[in-house]
Amino acid sequence: MTTRERETSPELETGPERDTANDIAIVGMAGNFPGAPDIGRFWADLCAGRDGITRMSPAELLAAGVPQELVDDPAFVAASGLLSDVDRFDAGFFGFSRPDAEVADPQHRLFLECSWHALEDAGIDPSRFDGLVGVFAGGAPSTYLLSNLLQNDQAVLTYGPDHLVLQNEKDLLPSRVSYALDLTGPSVSVQSCSSTALAAVAAGCGSLLAGESDLVVAGAVSVIVPQYPGYLHHEGSEFSPDGVSRVLDAGANGKIPGDGVGVVVLRRLEDAQADGDRIYAVIRGWAALHEGRNGRQGFGVPGVPGQTAVMAEALAVAGVDPAEIDHVEVTAMGTPFGDAVEVMALQEVFGVDGVERVTLGSTDGNLGHINQAGGIARLIKAALALHHEKLPPAVNFSAPNPRLAASGDRLAVVTELTDWPRGERPRLAGVNAHGYGGADVHVVIEEGPVDDDVRPAARPHQLLVWSARTAEAADAATANLAADAAHWADPVDAAYTLQVGRKAFEHRRMAVVSSSADAVQALSSSTRVLAETGVSTRRAGFLLAGVGEQYDGMAGGLYATEPVFRAAVDECAELFRGHLGFDPVAGLVGARKAGGGGLAALLGRAPEAGTGGSADTVVVQPGVFAIDYALGRLLTAWGVEPSVMAGYSVGEFATAALAGSLTLREATALVARRAELISELPAGAMAAVPLSETELTGLVGDLAGFSLDVAAVNGPRMIVVSGPAEGVGQLTEKLATAGVPARPLRTTHAFHSRSLRPAAAQLTAWARQNLSPRAPETPYLSNVTGLPITERQLGDPGYWAEHMCRPVQFATMIGHLAAHWPDTAFVELGAGQSLGSMFRGHPDFPQKSWAHLVPTLPGEADPKQDTESAAEALGRLWLSGVDVDWHAYQSGRGARKTTVPGYAFQRERYWLEPTAPGSATTVPRGARAAGDGPTG
């Protein structure tokens, strides 16, 4: 039985599980490679067998600035793995001034952008990450410094050579990232030529296992300046004479130069799994060794023993037998000698019993030899192959290298896109990196854990949020998301990734969608994408509605899909059953029906409207209380913590419960007893009058003449009168003759008037016996005074009777909130937007704050679903600058991190050219002499 057979043998499957304590998860990746500015394009090109080599015609070369004599030189080979736009950078995003950006090595700039995109791909906002973030990175020597800056007379005279050298020092590459992103873990430069990237990965893995880091950004960059689209070939050169790299091929005749940058984000496997990270692959083991002198013909000549040793050591560390390895990404770059040495080392490791077939792949044929960044390209390719279960084909391959051919099928180059599905045992791959001089690294990676196919039911509507430092970048992000949305397997995952894995900037956008197709439409719509600019952190306030706008089924969707909301409603319903003998909430959370009271019934109840068609106060008021309270619990569970609250009429009781002044049992008992007492009183009437109380009495005289009271002051010229139906009718007629359109409200009783006084003593006595109010944990306003509730008021059992009989001072409440709680986003808990309308009509509430009045549930006439409205409310709060706990919002939803477009950097050109020969240089006034600048 072979080792492979032993691994998959059923009788061995019951053995102990492998210890994964030392495993490292690759949770994020980003890269910018020749022809492939991002990982998605890189993988697509690999699978299609396309290379990213730039090849130009003579005319194109001349247009690119290549001198005529070079274009005409028969030794010039017009092929190179170039990166586009290396002179461009989003300086503002990373806090660079223009001079700082112009004198910074493009390698630093590209690596910064790549690191940010890798963290985004990991779904991690470093500013919200609870742990130390380490950076392990390396780059090539700064040729921008040598060929541009030190050759620019103005730059040398202005900054001095010492400052220019310091700003382009390759060893400061990781520190650039740590500083720019405010990372406080280890920040270590790693340098070993072509093995730099894998050496950085190995060092990062060690830091994670040692507990120095909880998250690691690791990678490398190599950009040679000036970027020539070709090279001069001479006899004996390592470069290909025809501009084609034939890795491991019988016709291999040289390499092609290239540039590139790549970054991976690493976590301890157990941490990644605990946080629900998307895991591309798992690093099982690694080794970093130097070949020494044994078996090497010179310092720059590779040797078989050293390359063999590093692979064997990595396999041993990983606890892996050679027969378990399925695939190896090799360093081979298409040079006859170098390819042969690596093949011989591979044969030493895998030419053992039990090994049946190991496939080989490379990236040099696709990208050119990208020096320090080569190892990260190979690691990313291998991780993507495991993740997508595909092995990409080699490019420029016709027949195997003779030494490779001697291995038969045991070592074979992948020549076509090949399925690589999961099997009975984990798939494993090795990644090689052999550095000039003999510093070698090998990494062993395994397929990531299988995602659970069973997922909880998704919400009907998904909330997409995204942001940027500038409005232009936010608009570009919107366009990128719109183009990408059609490819989303599940908008739940896209929404989750945007919520938890992106930093929130001051220019924000949001949209609520129901599917991937709907996301395409929404993101392409000028009306469905909501936007805010210049956002800063903002507090939240809760406005809790009274009766009037409720209707059957107004929160049925939330009840069905939001466990926190449902639990709060059920708790209220159970308490009300004990107080009243029935459930007053069922109609509000059942199927949606027509027949709500509308805006006109703010304080009362229309006879034909109500929960289950009932207009009974003992049904209406407890039902509204329960919805208000449950909405408050839902929002706080999502991380929206109110800094102040204000409830309208019965809404104050829900406010008291949410603020901790009353227990839920006390609050429900108060609402139930109050409603029972009111229902036993004679019927009454109410009317809305568009005048102030002074204007009204000046027009009709003392309201006592009509046996009426002011029941609510909703604005400077917006009051509600209340009392016997006969008195309301008389007042309405008199106002009509004066041309004032008083509007009768559909209600059952004369709320907040002397008509309720007969029940005051009973409610006071009941409160004295049953309530033990406490100071609120969150300040809230009193309906009686319009000002913050006081301990004295709460300690007076008669307060609740005064609340029932005296007018609602809502205008005073609005004025107080506007004066003492500016820059607060007020979210209205309940159906419709009646409270928000009162705020907008109040002269003390500034128009600039109107956008921060947020409804939670649709009004009865609004066809929008309650689940959509609630999602939009949360999004609008976030747009306003309110902090949201996105992890809590998605808790229990089974959402997973996925790939969505990264930050849309707004790049501009930051580039200093060498001084043209013969040009005069003038020292600018105030310029320092060379050597007088910072020394680090």
Side-chain angles (χ1 to χ4, degrees):
M1 180 184 292
T2 66
T3 302
R4 188 180 298 266
E5 289 170 337
R6 286 196 301 273
E7 283 293 322
T8 59
S9 178
E11 62 267 23
L12 297 181
E13 290 182 1
T14 58
E17 291 188 3
R18 182 178 66 82
D19 183 4
T20 61
N22 292 330
D23 286 2
I24 303 297
I26 302 174
V27 298
M29 302 188 293
N32 184 356
F33 302 116
D38 56 57
I39 293 298
R41 177 63 183 272
F42 178 52
W43 178 247
D45 285 352
L46 289 171
C47 291
R50 292 189 296 263
D51 70 36
I53 305 301
T54 298
R55 297 180 174 87
M56 292 185 177
S57 67
E60 290 171 328
L61 291 169
L62 291 171
V66 179
Q68 181 73 58
E69 60 270 22
L70 198 55
V71 174
D72 294 339
D73 192 328
F76 184 74
V77 181
S80 187
L82 301 179
L83 299 184
S84 61
D85 298 331
V86 299
D87 58 341
R88 304 181 74 81
F89 180 54
D90 191 339
F93 181 87
F94 293 103
F96 280 60
S97 66
R98 174 164 286 279
D100 286 344
E102 287 178 340
V103 301
D105 189 334
Q107 294 184 120
H108 290 206
R109 303 180 332 206
L110 289 167
F111 194 80
L112 274 170
E113 293 180 345
C114 194
S115 295
W116 185 262
H117 278 160
L119 286 164
E120 287 188 319
D121 188 61
I124 293 172
D125 171 7
S127 66
R128 289 185 285 173
F129 182 76
D130 184 17
L132 292 173
V133 181
V135 181
F136 296 82
S142 179
T143 51
Y144 179 65
L145 169 70
L146 298 175
S147 65
N148 286 44
L149 299 181
L150 294 180
Q151 303 304 316
N152 184 299
D153 297 340
Q154 193 76 33
V156 172
L157 288 168
T158 301
Y159 302 107
D162 53 342
H163 181 69
L164 297 176
V165 169
L166 185 65
Q167 294 305 306
N168 288 268
E169 171 55 59
K170 67 182 185 302
D171 288 345
L172 290 179
L173 180 67
S175 286
R176 283 277 199 195
V177 175
S178 297
Y179 176 80
L181 306 188
D182 193 23
L183 311 179
T184 56
S187 192
V188 180
S189 176
V190 179
Q191 300 295 333
S192 57
C193 287
S194 294
S195 61
T196 292
L198 281 198
V201 169
C205 289
S207 180
L208 287 166
L209 295 186
E212 295 175 334
S213 303
D214 300 296
L215 181 78
V216 159
V217 174
V221 58
S222 177
V223 177
I224 305 301
V225 175
Q227 280 204 311
Y228 264 95
Y231 53 89
L232 287 171
H233 176 267
H234 57 83
E235 194 65 32
S237 167
E238 287 191 340
F239 290 102
S240 169
D242 58 0
V244 178
S245 177
R246 301 173 177 85
V247 178
L248 299 180
D249 190 81
N253 59 359
K255 65 181 181 180
I256 299 173
D259 297 322
V261 53
V263 173
V264 293
V265 177
L266 310 173
R267 296 191 74 181
R268 291 180 287 269
L269 176 61
E270 58 185 351
D271 293 341
Q273 290 180 303
D275 281 358
D277 291 338
R278 183 257 315 275
I279 299 173
Y280 286 106
V282 174
I283 298 178
R284 283 273 300 264
W286 60 91
L289 303 174
H290 195 279
E291 297 178 17
R293 296 181 63 179
N294 182 37
R296 292 169 60 87
Q297 299 176 24
F299 179 71
V301 183
V304 174
Q307 294 192 10
T308 301
V310 76
M311 286 188 278
E313 177 71 14
L315 292 174
V317 170
V320 170
D321 187 275
E324 297 177 71
I325 297 295
D326 299 289
H327 180 78
V328 175
E329 282 295 315
V330 299
T331 302
M333 62 188 80
T335 59
F337 183 78
D339 286 16
V341 169
E342 190 162 7
V343 167
M344 286 188 286
L346 289 164
Q347 289 169 333
E348 288 286 330
V349 174
F350 296 104
V352 297
D353 290 342
V355 176
E356 297 175 356
R357 179 180 172 87
V358 177
T359 57
L360 305 178
S362 76
T363 57
D364 270 53
N366 302 81
L367 310 177
H369 186 63
I370 59 175
N371 302 300
Q372 283 82 353
I376 206 70
R378 292 190 289 278
L379 179 63
I380 289 173
K381 176 188 173 184
L384 288 172
L386 287 166
H387 182 67
H388 293 295
E389 302 183 15
K390 299 281 186 183
L391 284 171
V395 295
N396 311 322
F397 188 84
S398 299
N401 179 292
R403 289 190 179 274
L404 182 60
S407 298
D409 289 337
R410 183 171 281 176
L411 295 173
V413 174
V414 182
T415 57
E416 59 184 22
L417 183 62
T418 305
D419 288 334
W420 191 17
R422 292 177 181 267
E424 294 180 351
R425 65 163 183 83
R427 296 163 299 147
L428 290 156
V431 183
N432 262 339
H434 304 308
Y436 184 88
D440 299 335
V441 183
H442 187 79
V443 174
V444 177
I445 65 174
E446 179 181 284
E447 63 188 27
V450 179
D451 289 330
D452 187 358
D453 289 333
V454 179
R455 303 177 69 175
R459 288 185 171 97
H461 296 90
Q462 301 304 319
L463 173 58
L464 307 178
V465 295
W466 63 101
S467 66
R469 287 199 186 276
T470 66
E472 294 78 11
D475 291 341
T478 305
N480 292 343
L481 287 169
D484 191 63
H487 307 294
W488 293 348
D490 195 331
V492 173
D493 295 338
Y496 175 64
T497 303
L498 290 169
Q499 291 160 2
V500 304
R502 296 291 189 270
K503 185 174 178 63
F505 296 110
E506 55 268 34
H507 295 272
R508 302 187 180 186
R509 306 286 187 268
M510 63 147 288
V512 177
V513 303
S514 58
S515 65
S516 296
D518 184 48
V520 174
Q521 295 180 2
L523 292 164
S524 304
S525 166
S526 60
T527 57
R528 291 186 61 184
V529 173
L530 304 184
E532 278 286 343
T533 61
V535 176
S536 57
T537 301
R538 191 182 300 274
R539 298 171 297 185
F542 285 179
L543 305 175
L544 285 79
V547 300
E549 292 223 49
Q550 72 282 347
Y551 54 90
D552 288 330
M554 71 181 195
L558 289 179
Y559 185 80
T561 61
E562 296 294 343
V564 171
F565 182 83
R566 181 167 59 251
V569 167
D570 289 348
E571 187 178 9
C572 290
E574 186 60 29
L575 288 169
F576 279 128
R577 282 193 194 94
H579 302 316
L580 300 170
F582 65 93
D583 176 6
V585 197
L588 299 180
V589 295
R592 185 171 179 177
K593 301 175 184 177
L599 286 171
L602 179 62
L603 288 170
R605 193 67 187 171
E608 72 274 15
T611 307
S614 171
D616 196 334
T617 299
V618 296
V619 178
V620 173
Q621 294 190 354
V624 169
F625 169 94
I627 298 301
D628 284 358
Y629 176 81
L631 285 171
R633 284 289 181 228
L634 182 62
L635 283 171
T636 53
W638 290 345
V640 180
E641 295 287 347
S643 56
V644 65
M645 293 188 284
Y648 197 107
S649 189
V650 73
E652 183 174 331
F653 305 133
T655 302
L658 291 171
S661 288
L662 297 175
T663 66
L664 183 60
R665 181 175 294 277
E666 288 175 325
T668 54
L670 172 60
V671 170
R673 184 58 182 149
R674 178 180 183 272
E676 288 175 330
L677 290 173
I678 292 174
S679 68
E680 295 169 359
L681 295 174
M686 303 176 75
V689 180
L691 299 172
S692 68
E693 183 176 1
T694 301
E695 290 172 329
L696 177 60
T697 55
L699 189 63
V700 301
D702 190 351
L703 293 179
F706 300 90
S707 299
L708 301 180
D709 294 307
V710 173
V713 181
N714 294 331
R717 303 188 77 238
M718 186 189 306
I719 64 173
V720 174
V721 295
S722 180
E726 182 181 0
V728 171
Q730 292 173 351
L731 177 67
T732 301
E733 290 177 6
K734 189 166 185 177
L735 288 174
T737 61
V740 177
R743 181 164 44 87
L745 304 182
R746 295 175 296 171
T747 184
T748 58
H749 290 81
F751 294 99
H752 294 283
S753 74
R754 73 186 75 178
S755 297
L756 304 187
R757 280 289 172 192
Q762 290 175 276
L763 186 61
T764 299
W766 180 92
R768 181 178 290 108
Q769 186 71 27
N770 293 280
L771 302 182
S772 300
R774 294 153 296 282
E777 298 169 7
T778 302
Y780 72 91
L781 305 188
S782 161
N783 279 212
V784 176
T785 63
L787 302 175
I789 194 83
T790 65
E791 289 190 59
R792 181 175 180 179
Q793 285 174 303
L794 288 170
D796 178 8
Y799 173 77
W800 312 105
E802 292 304 302
H803 178 282
M804 177 176 66
C805 300
R806 292 176 61 179
V808 177
Q809 299 293 343
F810 200 67
T812 302
M813 296 165 79
I814 296 172
H816 181 84
L817 292 173
H820 297 278
W821 300 90
D823 300 321
T824 299
F826 291 105
V827 56
E828 183 171 348
L829 310 186
Q833 304 183 47
S834 58
L835 301 186
S837 296
M838 294 178 199
F839 271 76
R840 285 186 284 271
H842 196 289
D844 292 345
F845 194 75
Q847 188 170 352
K848 68 178 183 179
S849 297
W850 290 7
H852 309 306
L853 294 169
V854 180
T856 53
L857 297 178
E860 185 186 9
D862 186 346
K864 187 179 296 182
Q865 297 179 46
D866 60 321
T867 51
E868 180 182 4
S869 186
E872 183 176 311
L874 190 65
R876 288 185 58 186
L877 286 170
W878 178 82
L879 274 186
S880 294
V882 174
D883 287 335
V884 174
D885 185 343
W886 295 115
H887 287 284
Y889 177 66
Q890 294 287 6
S891 178
R893 296 290 171 176
R896 302 166 183 162
K897 293 177 182 177
T898 188
T899 298
V900 291
Y903 191 89
F905 291 119
Q906 300 300 289
R907 297 181 173 98
E908 297 180 27
R909 192 170 194 266
Y910 297 94
W911 201 256
L912 295 180
E913 298 286 359
T915 301
S919 63
T921 301
T922 302
V923 180
R925 180 175 300 175
R928 71 177 187 86
D932 292 339
T935 60

